[in-house]
Amino acid sequence: RAGPSSAGKGTPVFRHRFAAAAICLSLLSLAACGEDADSDAKAGGDALASVEITPQDEQAPLVEWTGDFEPTELETEVLVEGEGPVTAEGDTVRFHAWIGNGFTEEQVLSTFEQETPEVLELSGELSPALTEAMVGHPVGSLVAVAAPAAEAFGQQGNPQMGLGDGDSVL
């Protein structure tokens, strides 16, 4: 597994392999702090090596697919560690997300172009992948999540987003 390196102008480059689901989320703010959440996800597993993600200030990360993207378990990696309070279940956060289809290797959603970030309450009803991306990280973090498709959007996938029932998600 490769760690951060330098790519032009001092921008860190991260290589990650994602098997079935991976979501890049930039946590912007937090309302109502709670206790740290427990994490069942495996940090930095084998799937986090087939995608190169380059964070960009206040813009969607650059994503380059470098290998087969087929995670078999939920994995997370913090690409940029924030400096704010740590998020917990029950908090409300503002965030941006970039989501890609690991099968087609195409972006299916990005909120980075929106003027206003998304707002979400971190409840126990979120998918395992979204919970791992959002709960237990300092505000200001950029988090990548890899998970089997079922852990990202359920067995049916998310057809409205262009994700089939077995498509991997970045």
Side-chain angles (χ1 to χ4, degrees):
R1 188 175 122 222
S5 64
S6 188
K9 302 184 182 180
T11 302
V13 173
F14 303 87
R15 293 175 193 225
H16 305 284
R17 165 178 251 177
F18 298 82
I23 302 171
C24 293
L25 294 163
S26 180
L27 299 171
L28 301 176
S29 69
L30 166 70
C33 289
E35 301 201 12
D36 292 349
D38 292 330
S39 173
D40 294 332
K42 178 180 176 183
D46 291 275
L48 298 174
S50 68
V51 176
E52 188 175 294
I53 302 170
T54 306
Q56 302 193 89
D57 292 336
E58 299 182 36
Q59 295 180 19
L62 296 176
V63 177
E64 181 181 345
W65 307 88
T66 60
D68 292 337
F69 187 80
E70 300 173 357
T72 59
E73 63 184 346
L74 187 63
E75 299 176 20
T76 64
E77 181 139 350
V78 176
L79 305 177
V80 175
E81 181 89 22
E83 296 181 8
V86 174
T87 60
E89 190 170 318
D91 291 343
T92 297
V93 295
R94 292 184 324 137
F95 69 98
H96 281 294
W98 186 98
I99 301 174
N101 182 319
F103 179 73
T104 64
E105 299 183 354
E106 295 177 354
Q107 172 185 309
V108 296
L109 175 87
S110 176
T111 66
F112 283 88
E113 294 78 22
Q114 296 176 184
E115 187 173 319
T116 305
E118 297 292 317
V119 176
L120 180 67
E121 181 180 338
L122 304 179
S123 73
E125 297 177 17
L126 299 176
S127 72
L130 195 52
T131 298
E132 290 302 323
M134 303 290 265
V135 176
H137 302 290
V139 171
S141 296
L142 180 67
V143 181
V145 177
E151 292 188 46
F153 292 105
Q155 294 295 343
Q156 74 285 352
N158 191 326
Q160 301 87 347
M161 215 184 263
L163 295 163
D165 61 354
D167 290 348
S168 58
V169 182
L170 171 65

